[in-house]
Amino acid sequence: MNAQVPPPFATAARANRGRQAPRRTSVSRTSGWSIATFALAVLLPLSASAFDPKDVDPGTVHALGGGGPVLVVEESPSGQLELVTGGAFFDASPEQVWKTISDYASYPEWMPDLTEIEVTNDKGTTKDVHYKVHFQIAIISKKIDYVLKHTETPPHRISWDLIEGDFDKTVGAWNLVPLDNGKGTLVFYSTFTNLKSMGWLVKQLLTEQPGLEVAIQASTALVVLKALQERL
């Protein structure tokens, strides 16, 4: 899979709450499952939290997406990527979606490029999960190994943080918002991973092509959402 980071590299970056400088945020409607070419730029204070579905009007997002996925890209004032969030409407209840995304053992059946998974520590709503995935970008092909700590808030949110792995930062979240009196769900998948920490070749490629980092993580968000939709 070229120019795509295998799930669950989709991650949620944390906002710097102590600063007041604006974060640059762009909202893009997509055409089908491809990234649209236009974006609406808005300014948000960094004291605000990173993408929070509680602040989203479901009707607005559904209308913006035209029934298709929406991408929200957040950057620091210096232009550093902080967060990519993909969102889409699913014709399934939050409970149905939750059942799928919380069944980690089934992930290899529907998540692209995920080869192995194992829950190594289960404490109810907190689980350590070991992932093995195949990563490919351009001519670079690598096997990636990492362990994430998942924190569940049923049936609305799963977030994760890196315990150890082949990169130095990855955090993330699923967020589910009921729609149509619980008959449908807005599903949000947020993503940020420090891809440049995955070795010299990857860092060099992303340094030479700075737009590629956003493209990879935006593509990841769409791939994950599409795979989930097909699974349901």
Side-chain angles (χ1 to χ4, degrees):
M1 183 179 295
N2 292 329
Q4 295 172 354
V5 180
F9 278 47
T11 57
R14 290 172 174 74
N16 184 342
R17 298 175 182 270
R19 297 173 59 187
Q20 297 299 318
R23 177 195 291 115
R24 298 189 300 175
T25 304
S26 62
V27 181
S28 301
R29 185 179 64 190
T30 65
S31 175
W33 288 96
S34 62
I35 301 173
T37 58
F38 77 93
L40 172 65
V42 297
L43 295 178
L44 296 174
L46 276 178
S47 57
S49 62
F51 182 83
D52 186 348
K54 293 180 181 178
D55 298 328
V56 176
D57 172 23
T60 299
V61 175
H62 196 189
L64 177 61
V70 172
L71 285 171
V72 179
V73 178
E74 297 182 44
E75 297 178 337
S76 70
S78 64
Q80 296 297 311
L81 180 64
E82 292 190 341
L83 175 67
V84 174
T85 297
F89 173 75
F90 282 55
D91 189 17
S93 69
E95 291 75 18
Q96 289 175 296
V97 178
W98 179 268
K99 184 177 180 180
T100 299
I101 65 174
S102 62
D103 182 9
Y104 306 108
S106 72
Y107 275 23
E109 299 174 9
W110 59 276
M111 279 216 177
D113 298 329
L114 177 58
T115 58
E116 294 183 43
I117 191 168
E118 180 184 3
V119 177
T120 58
N121 188 14
D122 188 341
K123 296 182 178 179
T125 57
T126 302
K127 299 177 176 68
D128 296 347
V129 186
H130 185 190
Y131 294 86
K132 293 184 179 181
V133 301
H134 176 252
F135 170 87
Q136 183 171 339
I137 173 175
I139 62 172
I140 303 171
S141 181
K142 302 182 65 173
K143 293 182 179 180
I144 305 298
D145 196 303
Y146 55 98
V147 180
L148 303 179
K149 179 180 180 180
H150 291 250
T151 302
E152 302 174 352
T153 308
H156 302 298
R157 177 178 170 85
I158 299 176
S159 61
W160 53 87
D161 294 279
L162 179 67
I163 296 176
E164 60 181 347
D166 292 331
F167 35 80
D168 65 9
K169 181 177 182 180
T170 183
V171 291
W174 290 101
N175 285 287
L176 311 182
V177 179
L179 198 64
D180 297 338
N181 296 317
K183 296 179 181 179
T185 307
L186 283 176
V187 180
F188 296 99
Y189 192 62
S190 298
T191 174
F192 176 79
T193 295
N194 183 15
L195 302 178
K196 292 181 179 179
S197 67
M198 292 174 56
W200 181 85
L201 284 177
V202 176
K203 182 177 181 179
Q204 185 69 18
L205 179 61
L206 296 179
T207 299
E208 293 176 353
Q209 303 182 47
L212 189 56
E213 183 176 16
V214 175
I216 290 172
Q217 304 204 53
S219 176
T220 297
L222 294 183
V223 167
V224 172
L225 287 171
K226 184 177 182 181
L228 176 60
Q229 188 176 69
E230 292 175 349
R231 177 71 172 184
L232 294 170

